Amino acid sequence: METIRKTLRDSKSARWMALAVVSFTMLCGYYLTDVMAPLKPLLEKELLWNSAEYGFFTSAYGWFNVFLLMLIFGGIILDRMGVRFTGKMATIIMVIGTAVKYWAVSTHSLDGSEILGMKAQVVFAGLGFAIFGVGVEVAGITVSKIIVKWFKGKEMALAMGLEMATARIGTTLAMVTSVPIARALDGVSKPILVCLIMLCIGMIAFFLYTVMDKRLDRSLELAADENSEPASEESFNVKDILYIVTNKGWWFIAILCVLFYSAVFPFLKYATDLMVNKFNVKPDIAGIIPGMLPFGTMILTPLFGNLYDRKGKGASIMILGALLLIFVHAMYSIPGLTSTPVAIVLIIILGIGFSLVPSAMWPSVPKIIPEKQLGTAYAMIFWVQNIGLMGVPALIGWVLNKYCITGTHLIDGVEVSSYNYTLPMVIFTCFGIIALVFALLLKAEDKKKGYGLESPNIKK
């Protein structure tokens, strides 16, 4: 009887250890991504930023990814050069961008200076955030391909769910700790310094992971030789992009992704300010309520991923998530609804919806796109997503500044603007409605093409 040689990914301890290391790197990245969100009132108080400037800065995340196509180039580099080279490059870029952002927010050398009519401090802080955005997004697609590499035919959706759950710990840390750190260390820039230190640790962790990745490649090559199988295909041709962009199922996932994430991440950028202005929560603790959202995703995303692995129903899971998204934002848009317990319950429900869609969406991509094109396919989805992550925060900031100022209130004796968040929440609700439409279209396309989105991931 012929013996089939096993590879390193057949070892449960090895593949879960690899997941833990790269997930920690993403946790550090997500901490910096959202660390400024609870600081909006303090930015207005200490640095005299307004909502439009905050929106401009927040939108910087996608500048290079969208306009310079850095994310797509990152995907092509990933498919051509592999996960080790690309991941190292991405983590180094994250650290550089964070260092620029910290310098811009902490220095007084830019006081009184302007660039193209905008505060120089805002522009340079945005530049650092844009550089970081390239690094963290390329790191995200690299980690997605790493998970496919280690978990294909195994617990892939569970692994992706656990990676996302771990990354959300970074979001929770950002929401809950940034204001206390700023208060304790006496400066709105200090939480960014903490993030910079964590990102350096996360970069070192990824460099250590590459040792495991080399061992995995060696075991795959040996197994291919001994089992008379072709080695895994790693090469990518630029013309393969045509295959991706002509795939209707890929487009439905990409559009669902940008709509869904545009209704969640930009919302989180303003959620602390929403709690202060609509629900009268004190600025010092307002970040705790939106910080509850990732707690739900930490538990539920792996659970829903495990359900997808074993039972299937990926497209149906995405439809349910979109419905919950619509419900939450519609409730937040009701002017008279100002009860803090209701705000907390809605955040928890949003966390459930935010667990449903990603847990099914990301593991569905390998069912539609061949593995050798996965890096570029994920990169192009992330590129579409970044259009929303860049444009929506700027849109919400502009809408708040133009149409939603209702007066002023005091923070530590300093007068800052008050806002009515009804119109922004209506905008977020509309994103959810359109996302539902594309989730339904994706389910119909799956039924037509037989991608297997409703089928389990684990091969028996």
mmCIF file of all heavy atoms in Angstrom, residues 36 42-50 53-54 56-58 60 63 100-129 188-189 192:
data_model
loop_
_atom_site.group_PDB
_atom_site.id
_atom_site.type_symbol
_atom_site.label_atom_id
_atom_site.label_comp_id
_atom_site.label_asym_id
_atom_site.label_seq_id
_atom_site.Cartn_x
_atom_site.Cartn_y
_atom_site.Cartn_z
ATOM 1 N N MET A 36 -6.787 56.522 16.589
ATOM 2 C CA MET A 36 -7.169 57.938 16.603
ATOM 3 C C MET A 36 -8.686 58.140 16.726
ATOM 4 O O MET A 36 -9.139 59.255 17.000
ATOM 5 C CB MET A 36 -6.676 58.619 15.320
ATOM 6 C CG MET A 36 -5.176 58.638 15.154
ATOM 7 S SD MET A 36 -4.341 59.735 16.304
ATOM 8 C CE MET A 36 -4.424 61.290 15.398
ATOM 9 N N LEU A 42 -10.433 65.090 21.535
ATOM 10 C CA LEU A 42 -9.171 65.638 22.040
ATOM 11 C C LEU A 42 -8.360 66.314 20.940
ATOM 12 O O LEU A 42 -7.639 67.292 21.191
ATOM 13 C CB LEU A 42 -8.341 64.524 22.687
ATOM 14 C CG LEU A 42 -8.879 63.936 23.993
ATOM 15 C CD1 LEU A 42 -7.943 62.869 24.521
ATOM 16 C CD2 LEU A 42 -9.072 65.031 25.046
ATOM 17 N N LEU A 43 -8.460 65.801 19.701
ATOM 18 C CA LEU A 43 -7.804 66.458 18.572
ATOM 19 C C LEU A 43 -8.380 67.849 18.349
ATOM 20 O O LEU A 43 -7.652 68.800 18.040
ATOM 21 C CB LEU A 43 -7.955 65.612 17.305
ATOM 22 C CG LEU A 43 -7.153 64.308 17.249
ATOM 23 C CD1 LEU A 43 -7.626 63.447 16.081
ATOM 24 C CD2 LEU A 43 -5.663 64.598 17.101
ATOM 25 N N GLU A 44 -9.694 67.967 18.514
ATOM 26 C CA GLU A 44 -10.341 69.282 18.373
ATOM 27 C C GLU A 44 -9.922 70.206 19.503
ATOM 28 O O GLU A 44 -9.740 71.412 19.299
ATOM 29 C CB GLU A 44 -11.859 69.103 18.340
ATOM 30 C CG GLU A 44 -12.366 68.363 17.106
ATOM 31 C CD GLU A 44 -13.878 68.157 17.109
ATOM 32 O OE1 GLU A 44 -14.527 68.522 18.113
ATOM 33 O OE2 GLU A 44 -14.404 67.624 16.122
ATOM 34 N N LYS A 45 -9.730 69.636 20.700
ATOM 35 C CA LYS A 45 -9.372 70.449 21.864
ATOM 36 C C LYS A 45 -7.885 70.832 21.857
ATOM 37 O O LYS A 45 -7.536 71.997 22.017
ATOM 38 C CB LYS A 45 -9.705 69.672 23.136
ATOM 39 C CG LYS A 45 -9.153 70.277 24.420
ATOM 40 C CD LYS A 45 -9.481 69.392 25.608
ATOM 41 C CE LYS A 45 -8.702 69.805 26.837
ATOM 42 N NZ LYS A 45 -7.302 69.346 26.835
ATOM 43 N N GLU A 46 -6.987 69.855 21.653
ATOM 44 C CA GLU A 46 -5.550 70.109 21.789
ATOM 45 C C GLU A 46 -4.911 70.651 20.520
ATOM 46 O O GLU A 46 -4.057 71.542 20.577
ATOM 47 C CB GLU A 46 -4.825 68.816 22.200
ATOM 48 C CG GLU A 46 -5.140 68.349 23.609
ATOM 49 C CD GLU A 46 -4.292 67.158 24.029
ATOM 50 O OE1 GLU A 46 -3.213 66.952 23.428
ATOM 51 O OE2 GLU A 46 -4.703 66.444 24.958
ATOM 52 N N LEU A 47 -5.303 70.104 19.360
ATOM 53 C CA LEU A 47 -4.666 70.490 18.105
ATOM 54 C C LEU A 47 -5.540 71.397 17.248
ATOM 55 O O LEU A 47 -5.136 71.809 16.157
ATOM 56 C CB LEU A 47 -4.286 69.237 17.303
ATOM 57 C CG LEU A 47 -3.397 68.216 18.032
ATOM 58 C CD1 LEU A 47 -3.039 67.062 17.108
ATOM 59 C CD2 LEU A 47 -2.135 68.871 18.574
ATOM 60 N N LEU A 48 -6.756 71.671 17.731
ATOM 61 C CA LEU A 48 -7.705 72.579 17.057
ATOM 62 C C LEU A 48 -8.100 72.068 15.667
ATOM 63 O O LEU A 48 -8.343 72.863 14.758
ATOM 64 C CB LEU A 48 -7.119 73.995 16.969
ATOM 65 C CG LEU A 48 -6.664 74.621 18.305
ATOM 66 C CD1 LEU A 48 -6.103 76.008 18.076
ATOM 67 C CD2 LEU A 48 -7.800 74.652 19.325
ATOM 68 N N TRP A 49 -8.166 70.744 15.486
ATOM 69 C CA TRP A 49 -8.680 70.182 14.239
ATOM 70 C C TRP A 49 -10.191 70.313 14.230
ATOM 71 O O TRP A 49 -10.834 70.320 15.282
ATOM 72 C CB TRP A 49 -8.320 68.702 14.126
ATOM 73 C CG TRP A 49 -6.861 68.414 13.908
ATOM 74 C CD1 TRP A 49 -5.810 69.264 14.104
ATOM 75 C CD2 TRP A 49 -6.308 67.167 13.479
ATOM 76 N NE1 TRP A 49 -4.617 68.627 13.813
ATOM 77 C CE2 TRP A 49 -4.885 67.337 13.425
ATOM 78 C CE3 TRP A 49 -6.837 65.939 13.125
ATOM 79 C CZ2 TRP A 49 -4.029 66.315 13.045
ATOM 80 C CZ3 TRP A 49 -5.982 64.909 12.744
ATOM 81 C CH2 TRP A 49 -4.591 65.098 12.697
ATOM 82 N N ASN A 50 -10.790 70.396 13.024
ATOM 83 C CA ASN A 50 -12.249 70.322 12.924
ATOM 84 C C ASN A 50 -12.631 68.989 12.266
ATOM 85 O O ASN A 50 -11.775 68.199 11.889
ATOM 86 C CB ASN A 50 -12.827 71.519 12.156
ATOM 87 C CG ASN A 50 -12.283 71.627 10.737
ATOM 88 O OD1 ASN A 50 -12.061 70.629 10.064
ATOM 89 N ND2 ASN A 50 -12.050 72.864 10.286
ATOM 90 N N GLU A 53 -11.147 68.331 8.791
ATOM 91 C CA GLU A 53 -9.722 67.978 8.842
ATOM 92 C C GLU A 53 -9.533 66.552 9.358
ATOM 93 O O GLU A 53 -8.701 65.799 8.844
ATOM 94 C CB GLU A 53 -8.969 68.982 9.729
ATOM 95 C CG GLU A 53 -8.838 70.348 9.081
ATOM 96 C CD GLU A 53 -8.410 71.437 10.057
ATOM 97 O OE1 GLU A 53 -8.612 71.266 11.275
ATOM 98 O OE2 GLU A 53 -7.882 72.457 9.581
ATOM 99 N N TYR A 54 -10.322 66.178 10.369
ATOM 100 C CA TYR A 54 -10.256 64.805 10.870
ATOM 101 C C TYR A 54 -10.673 63.818 9.779
ATOM 102 O O TYR A 54 -10.046 62.767 9.609
ATOM 103 C CB TYR A 54 -11.159 64.657 12.098
ATOM 104 C CG TYR A 54 -11.264 63.240 12.604
ATOM 105 C CD1 TYR A 54 -10.245 62.675 13.358
ATOM 106 C CD2 TYR A 54 -12.389 62.469 12.316
ATOM 107 C CE1 TYR A 54 -10.329 61.371 13.814
ATOM 108 C CE2 TYR A 54 -12.489 61.164 12.763
ATOM 109 C CZ TYR A 54 -11.469 60.617 13.522
ATOM 110 O OH TYR A 54 -11.562 59.320 13.959
ATOM 111 N N PHE A 56 -10.436 64.297 6.536
ATOM 112 C CA PHE A 56 -9.353 64.299 5.550
ATOM 113 C C PHE A 56 -8.219 63.390 6.005
ATOM 114 O O PHE A 56 -7.715 62.564 5.238
ATOM 115 C CB PHE A 56 -8.845 65.735 5.360
ATOM 116 C CG PHE A 56 -7.632 65.866 4.478
ATOM 117 C CD1 PHE A 56 -7.766 65.934 3.099
ATOM 118 C CD2 PHE A 56 -6.359 65.927 5.033
ATOM 119 C CE1 PHE A 56 -6.640 66.054 2.281
ATOM 120 C CE2 PHE A 56 -5.234 66.049 4.230
ATOM 121 C CZ PHE A 56 -5.381 66.112 2.849
ATOM 122 N N PHE A 57 -7.821 63.541 7.270
ATOM 123 C CA PHE A 57 -6.754 62.703 7.824
ATOM 124 C C PHE A 57 -7.140 61.222 7.789
ATOM 125 O O PHE A 57 -6.350 60.362 7.381
ATOM 126 C CB PHE A 57 -6.456 63.128 9.268
ATOM 127 C CG PHE A 57 -5.829 62.050 10.098
ATOM 128 C CD1 PHE A 57 -4.498 61.722 9.944
ATOM 129 C CD2 PHE A 57 -6.597 61.342 11.024
ATOM 130 C CE1 PHE A 57 -3.927 60.710 10.692
ATOM 131 C CE2 PHE A 57 -6.029 60.329 11.776
ATOM 132 C CZ PHE A 57 -4.696 60.020 11.610
ATOM 133 N N THR A 58 -8.360 60.904 8.206
ATOM 134 C CA THR A 58 -8.807 59.510 8.253
ATOM 135 C C THR A 58 -8.865 58.899 6.856
ATOM 136 O O THR A 58 -8.549 57.724 6.661
ATOM 137 C CB THR A 58 -10.197 59.424 8.925
ATOM 138 O OG1 THR A 58 -10.117 60.003 10.230
ATOM 139 C CG2 THR A 58 -10.658 57.984 9.053
ATOM 140 N N ALA A 60 -6.913 59.451 4.528
ATOM 141 C CA ALA A 60 -5.553 59.259 4.012
ATOM 142 C C ALA A 60 -5.159 57.792 3.967
ATOM 143 O O ALA A 60 -4.289 57.400 3.174
ATOM 144 C CB ALA A 60 -4.553 60.027 4.872
ATOM 145 N N TRP A 63 -5.094 56.685 0.387
ATOM 146 C CA TRP A 63 -4.537 57.530 -0.679
ATOM 147 C C TRP A 63 -3.670 56.741 -1.651
ATOM 148 O O TRP A 63 -3.923 56.714 -2.853
ATOM 149 C CB TRP A 63 -3.672 58.642 -0.074
ATOM 150 C CG TRP A 63 -4.423 59.750 0.590
ATOM 151 C CD1 TRP A 63 -5.775 59.941 0.599
ATOM 152 C CD2 TRP A 63 -3.849 60.808 1.365
ATOM 153 N NE1 TRP A 63 -6.082 61.062 1.336
ATOM 154 C CE2 TRP A 63 -4.927 61.607 1.812
ATOM 155 C CE3 TRP A 63 -2.555 61.152 1.719
ATOM 156 C CZ2 TRP A 63 -4.727 62.737 2.599
ATOM 157 C CZ3 TRP A 63 -2.351 62.271 2.503
ATOM 158 C CH2 TRP A 63 -3.425 63.059 2.936
ATOM 159 N N VAL A 100 6.208 58.345 10.909
ATOM 160 C CA VAL A 100 5.895 59.648 10.301
ATOM 161 C C VAL A 100 4.646 60.250 10.956
ATOM 162 O O VAL A 100 4.611 61.443 11.279
ATOM 163 C CB VAL A 100 5.689 59.502 8.775
ATOM 164 C CG1 VAL A 100 5.190 60.814 8.168
ATOM 165 C CG2 VAL A 100 6.976 59.061 8.097
ATOM 166 N N LYS A 101 3.648 59.422 11.165
ATOM 167 C CA LYS A 101 2.401 59.894 11.780
ATOM 168 C C LYS A 101 2.650 60.399 13.200
ATOM 169 O O LYS A 101 2.138 61.453 13.600
ATOM 170 C CB LYS A 101 1.385 58.751 11.782
ATOM 171 C CG LYS A 101 0.040 59.088 12.392
ATOM 172 C CD LYS A 101 -0.900 57.894 12.234
ATOM 173 C CE LYS A 101 -2.206 58.101 12.976
ATOM 174 N NZ LYS A 101 -3.125 56.947 12.809
ATOM 175 N N TYR A 102 3.445 59.666 13.974
ATOM 176 C CA TYR A 102 3.748 60.088 15.343
ATOM 177 C C TYR A 102 4.493 61.409 15.352
ATOM 178 O O TYR A 102 4.181 62.313 16.134
ATOM 179 C CB TYR A 102 4.570 59.009 16.057
ATOM 180 C CG TYR A 102 5.104 59.475 17.389
ATOM 181 C CD1 TYR A 102 4.237 59.753 18.443
ATOM 182 C CD2 TYR A 102 6.475 59.675 17.588
ATOM 183 C CE1 TYR A 102 4.720 60.206 19.663
ATOM 184 C CE2 TYR A 102 6.967 60.121 18.801
ATOM 185 C CZ TYR A 102 6.087 60.389 19.834
ATOM 186 O OH TYR A 102 6.562 60.849 21.032
ATOM 187 N N TRP A 103 5.477 61.538 14.451
ATOM 188 C CA TRP A 103 6.230 62.804 14.391
ATOM 189 C C TRP A 103 5.296 63.968 14.077
ATOM 190 O O TRP A 103 5.370 65.024 14.720
ATOM 191 C CB TRP A 103 7.311 62.713 13.310
ATOM 192 C CG TRP A 103 7.942 64.043 13.023
ATOM 193 C CD1 TRP A 103 8.885 64.687 13.758
ATOM 194 C CD2 TRP A 103 7.618 64.916 11.927
ATOM 195 N NE1 TRP A 103 9.191 65.904 13.195
ATOM 196 C CE2 TRP A 103 8.421 66.082 12.068
ATOM 197 C CE3 TRP A 103 6.749 64.829 10.851
ATOM 198 C CZ2 TRP A 103 8.360 67.141 11.164
ATOM 199 C CZ3 TRP A 103 6.690 65.893 9.950
ATOM 200 C CH2 TRP A 103 7.482 67.019 10.104
ATOM 201 N N ALA A 104 4.393 63.782 13.119
ATOM 202 C CA ALA A 104 3.516 64.876 12.701
ATOM 203 C C ALA A 104 2.601 65.337 13.835
ATOM 204 O O ALA A 104 2.394 66.543 14.036
ATOM 205 C CB ALA A 104 2.673 64.442 11.499
ATOM 206 N N VAL A 105 2.062 64.385 14.588
ATOM 207 C CA VAL A 105 1.109 64.740 15.643
ATOM 208 C C VAL A 105 1.822 65.287 16.879
ATOM 209 O O VAL A 105 1.274 66.099 17.617
ATOM 210 C CB VAL A 105 0.231 63.522 16.006
ATOM 211 C CG1 VAL A 105 -0.685 63.824 17.190
ATOM 212 C CG2 VAL A 105 -0.615 63.107 14.805
ATOM 213 N N SER A 106 3.079 64.868 17.102
ATOM 214 C CA SER A 106 3.783 65.264 18.336
ATOM 215 C C SER A 106 4.623 66.524 18.183
ATOM 216 O O SER A 106 4.905 67.201 19.177
ATOM 217 C CB SER A 106 4.687 64.115 18.804
ATOM 218 O OG SER A 106 5.677 63.827 17.830
ATOM 219 N N THR A 107 5.041 66.882 16.954
ATOM 220 C CA THR A 107 5.955 68.012 16.776
ATOM 221 C C THR A 107 5.217 69.355 16.809
ATOM 222 O O THR A 107 4.033 69.429 16.502
ATOM 223 C CB THR A 107 6.713 67.896 15.439
ATOM 224 O OG1 THR A 107 7.699 68.927 15.378
ATOM 225 C CG2 THR A 107 5.763 68.036 14.256
ATOM 226 N N HIS A 108 5.969 70.394 17.218
ATOM 227 C CA HIS A 108 5.437 71.764 17.143
ATOM 228 C C HIS A 108 6.065 72.522 15.971
ATOM 229 O O HIS A 108 5.750 73.698 15.758
ATOM 230 C CB HIS A 108 5.727 72.510 18.448
ATOM 231 C CG HIS A 108 4.916 72.011 19.605
ATOM 232 N ND1 HIS A 108 3.564 72.250 19.733
ATOM 233 C CD2 HIS A 108 5.273 71.257 20.672
ATOM 234 C CE1 HIS A 108 3.120 71.683 20.846
ATOM 235 N NE2 HIS A 108 4.137 71.080 21.431
ATOM 236 N N SER A 109 6.937 71.858 15.213
ATOM 237 C CA SER A 109 7.627 72.536 14.117
ATOM 238 C C SER A 109 6.680 72.868 12.963
ATOM 239 O O SER A 109 7.015 73.691 12.104
ATOM 240 C CB SER A 109 8.782 71.659 13.601
ATOM 241 O OG SER A 109 8.289 70.436 13.076
ATOM 242 N N LEU A 110 5.508 72.231 12.935
ATOM 243 C CA LEU A 110 4.552 72.486 11.857
ATOM 244 C C LEU A 110 3.478 73.498 12.251
ATOM 245 O O LEU A 110 2.608 73.824 11.433
ATOM 246 C CB LEU A 110 3.870 71.171 11.446
ATOM 247 C CG LEU A 110 4.802 70.068 10.915
ATOM 248 C CD1 LEU A 110 4.025 68.778 10.703
ATOM 249 C CD2 LEU A 110 5.459 70.511 9.607
ATOM 250 N N ASP A 111 3.532 73.994 13.493
ATOM 251 C CA ASP A 111 2.499 74.926 13.967
ATOM 252 C C ASP A 111 2.436 76.165 13.076
ATOM 253 O O ASP A 111 3.456 76.795 12.779
ATOM 254 C CB ASP A 111 2.798 75.354 15.406
ATOM 255 C CG ASP A 111 2.609 74.209 16.403
ATOM 256 O OD1 ASP A 111 2.160 73.138 15.959
ATOM 257 O OD2 ASP A 111 2.924 74.395 17.591
ATOM 258 N N GLY A 112 1.221 76.492 12.655
ATOM 259 C CA GLY A 112 1.005 77.693 11.840
ATOM 260 C C GLY A 112 1.285 77.502 10.367
ATOM 261 O O GLY A 112 1.005 78.403 9.564
ATOM 262 N N SER A 113 1.834 76.355 9.977
ATOM 263 C CA SER A 113 2.146 76.108 8.558
ATOM 264 C C SER A 113 0.943 75.484 7.853
ATOM 265 O O SER A 113 0.155 74.755 8.459
ATOM 266 C CB SER A 113 3.348 75.172 8.430
ATOM 267 O OG SER A 113 4.467 75.723 9.075
ATOM 268 N N GLU A 114 0.838 75.785 6.553
ATOM 269 C CA GLU A 114 -0.237 75.213 5.744
ATOM 270 C C GLU A 114 0.331 74.624 4.458
ATOM 271 O O GLU A 114 1.359 75.069 3.958
ATOM 272 C CB GLU A 114 -1.285 76.272 5.393
ATOM 273 C CG GLU A 114 -2.143 76.702 6.566
ATOM 274 C CD GLU A 114 -3.335 77.543 6.129
ATOM 275 O OE1 GLU A 114 -3.444 77.834 4.913
ATOM 276 O OE2 GLU A 114 -4.157 77.901 6.991
ATOM 277 N N ILE A 115 -0.347 73.589 3.942
ATOM 278 C CA ILE A 115 -0.032 72.996 2.646
ATOM 279 C C ILE A 115 -1.328 72.912 1.855
ATOM 280 O O ILE A 115 -2.275 72.242 2.276
ATOM 281 C CB ILE A 115 0.596 71.595 2.798
ATOM 282 C CG1 ILE A 115 1.926 71.688 3.564
ATOM 283 C CG2 ILE A 115 0.807 70.944 1.427
ATOM 284 C CD1 ILE A 115 2.565 70.338 3.858
ATOM 285 N N LEU A 116 -1.382 73.645 0.754
ATOM 286 C CA LEU A 116 -2.585 73.677 -0.095
ATOM 287 C C LEU A 116 -3.841 74.031 0.712
ATOM 288 O O LEU A 116 -4.908 73.448 0.531
ATOM 289 C CB LEU A 116 -2.772 72.334 -0.793
ATOM 290 C CG LEU A 116 -1.631 71.890 -1.728
ATOM 291 C CD1 LEU A 116 -1.891 70.496 -2.274
ATOM 292 C CD2 LEU A 116 -1.454 72.888 -2.875
ATOM 293 N N GLY A 117 -3.694 74.992 1.623
ATOM 294 C CA GLY A 117 -4.829 75.468 2.393
ATOM 295 C C GLY A 117 -5.215 74.593 3.559
ATOM 296 O O GLY A 117 -6.186 74.885 4.265
ATOM 297 N N MET A 118 -4.460 73.529 3.807
ATOM 298 C CA MET A 118 -4.748 72.604 4.903
ATOM 299 C C MET A 118 -3.619 72.694 5.922
ATOM 300 O O MET A 118 -2.469 72.931 5.563
ATOM 301 C CB MET A 118 -4.863 71.178 4.358
ATOM 302 C CG MET A 118 -5.246 70.111 5.370
ATOM 303 S SD MET A 118 -6.984 70.140 5.861
ATOM 304 C CE MET A 118 -7.788 69.712 4.314
ATOM 305 N N LYS A 119 -3.937 72.526 7.222
ATOM 306 C CA LYS A 119 -2.890 72.523 8.239
ATOM 307 C C LYS A 119 -1.796 71.530 7.855
ATOM 308 O O LYS A 119 -2.070 70.373 7.524
ATOM 309 C CB LYS A 119 -3.469 72.121 9.598
ATOM 310 C CG LYS A 119 -4.323 73.163 10.288
ATOM 311 C CD LYS A 119 -4.620 72.705 11.717
ATOM 312 C CE LYS A 119 -5.505 73.692 12.462
ATOM 313 N NZ LYS A 119 -6.916 73.575 12.090
ATOM 314 N N ALA A 120 -0.534 71.959 7.906
ATOM 315 C CA ALA A 120 0.590 71.078 7.555
ATOM 316 C C ALA A 120 0.607 69.848 8.448
ATOM 317 O O ALA A 120 0.949 68.738 7.999
ATOM 318 C CB ALA A 120 1.909 71.841 7.663
ATOM 319 N N GLN A 121 0.245 70.021 9.711
ATOM 320 C CA GLN A 121 0.224 68.894 10.644
ATOM 321 C C GLN A 121 -0.762 67.820 10.181
ATOM 322 O O GLN A 121 -0.466 66.620 10.220
ATOM 323 C CB GLN A 121 -0.162 69.380 12.037
ATOM 324 C CG GLN A 121 -0.146 68.283 13.086
ATOM 325 C CD GLN A 121 -0.579 68.799 14.434
ATOM 326 O OE1 GLN A 121 -1.672 69.340 14.584
ATOM 327 N NE2 GLN A 121 0.278 68.631 15.431
ATOM 328 N N VAL A 122 -1.934 68.241 9.720
ATOM 329 C CA VAL A 122 -2.955 67.306 9.231
ATOM 330 C C VAL A 122 -2.438 66.569 7.990
ATOM 331 O O VAL A 122 -2.610 65.352 7.852
ATOM 332 C CB VAL A 122 -4.269 68.047 8.912
ATOM 333 C CG1 VAL A 122 -5.294 67.097 8.289
ATOM 334 C CG2 VAL A 122 -4.843 68.699 10.169
ATOM 335 N N VAL A 123 -1.786 67.309 7.095
ATOM 336 C CA VAL A 123 -1.285 66.714 5.846
ATOM 337 C C VAL A 123 -0.196 65.676 6.141
ATOM 338 O O VAL A 123 -0.212 64.558 5.595
ATOM 339 C CB VAL A 123 -0.748 67.802 4.896
ATOM 340 C CG1 VAL A 123 -0.088 67.163 3.669
ATOM 341 C CG2 VAL A 123 -1.883 68.728 4.460
ATOM 342 N N PHE A 124 0.769 66.021 7.013
ATOM 343 C CA PHE A 124 1.853 65.080 7.310
ATOM 344 C C PHE A 124 1.358 63.886 8.120
ATOM 345 O O PHE A 124 1.826 62.751 7.926
ATOM 346 C CB PHE A 124 2.998 65.790 8.039
ATOM 347 C CG PHE A 124 3.945 66.496 7.109
ATOM 348 C CD1 PHE A 124 3.874 67.868 6.932
ATOM 349 C CD2 PHE A 124 4.906 65.774 6.401
ATOM 350 C CE1 PHE A 124 4.744 68.524 6.069
ATOM 351 C CE2 PHE A 124 5.778 66.420 5.536
ATOM 352 C CZ PHE A 124 5.703 67.800 5.364
ATOM 353 N N ALA A 125 0.406 64.129 9.028
ATOM 354 C CA ALA A 125 -0.195 63.002 9.749
ATOM 355 C C ALA A 125 -0.902 62.074 8.772
ATOM 356 O O ALA A 125 -0.816 60.845 8.866
ATOM 357 C CB ALA A 125 -1.171 63.506 10.807
ATOM 358 N N GLY A 126 -1.591 62.677 7.791
ATOM 359 C CA GLY A 126 -2.247 61.894 6.753
ATOM 360 C C GLY A 126 -1.255 61.131 5.897
ATOM 361 O O GLY A 126 -1.485 59.970 5.533
ATOM 362 N N LEU A 127 -0.108 61.756 5.590
ATOM 363 C CA LEU A 127 0.936 61.092 4.799
ATOM 364 C C LEU A 127 1.440 59.838 5.519
ATOM 365 O O LEU A 127 1.595 58.767 4.910
ATOM 366 C CB LEU A 127 2.092 62.065 4.555
ATOM 367 C CG LEU A 127 3.300 61.502 3.796
ATOM 368 C CD1 LEU A 127 2.914 61.100 2.374
ATOM 369 C CD2 LEU A 127 4.442 62.529 3.773
ATOM 370 N N GLY A 128 1.701 59.981 6.817
ATOM 371 C CA GLY A 128 2.136 58.817 7.593
ATOM 372 C C GLY A 128 1.081 57.726 7.618
ATOM 373 O O GLY A 128 1.393 56.531 7.487
ATOM 374 N N PHE A 129 -0.190 58.130 7.763
ATOM 375 C CA PHE A 129 -1.286 57.159 7.792
ATOM 376 C C PHE A 129 -1.427 56.473 6.439
ATOM 377 O O PHE A 129 -1.736 55.277 6.360
ATOM 378 C CB PHE A 129 -2.583 57.880 8.173
ATOM 379 C CG PHE A 129 -3.672 56.973 8.693
ATOM 380 C CD1 PHE A 129 -3.377 55.768 9.323
ATOM 381 C CD2 PHE A 129 -5.000 57.324 8.550
ATOM 382 C CE1 PHE A 129 -4.385 54.942 9.805
ATOM 383 C CE2 PHE A 129 -6.013 56.509 9.022
ATOM 384 C CZ PHE A 129 -5.707 55.314 9.656
ATOM 385 N N VAL A 188 -1.991 63.889 23.119
ATOM 386 C CA VAL A 188 -2.788 63.130 22.178
ATOM 387 C C VAL A 188 -1.921 62.265 21.264
ATOM 388 O O VAL A 188 -2.414 61.323 20.622
ATOM 389 C CB VAL A 188 -3.680 64.102 21.361
ATOM 390 C CG1 VAL A 188 -2.861 64.833 20.318
ATOM 391 C CG2 VAL A 188 -4.862 63.393 20.716
ATOM 392 N N SER A 189 -0.615 62.539 21.229
ATOM 393 C CA SER A 189 0.288 61.755 20.376
ATOM 394 C C SER A 189 0.777 60.478 21.050
ATOM 395 O O SER A 189 1.269 59.558 20.373
ATOM 396 C CB SER A 189 1.504 62.595 19.984
ATOM 397 O OG SER A 189 2.301 62.877 21.124
ATOM 398 N N ILE A 192 -0.124 56.932 19.832
ATOM 399 C CA ILE A 192 0.548 56.551 18.580
ATOM 400 C C ILE A 192 1.930 55.996 18.876
ATOM 401 O O ILE A 192 2.393 55.052 18.222
ATOM 402 C CB ILE A 192 0.634 57.754 17.620
ATOM 403 C CG1 ILE A 192 -0.742 58.378 17.406
ATOM 404 C CG2 ILE A 192 1.230 57.328 16.273
ATOM 405 C CD1 ILE A 192 -0.726 59.661 16.605
#
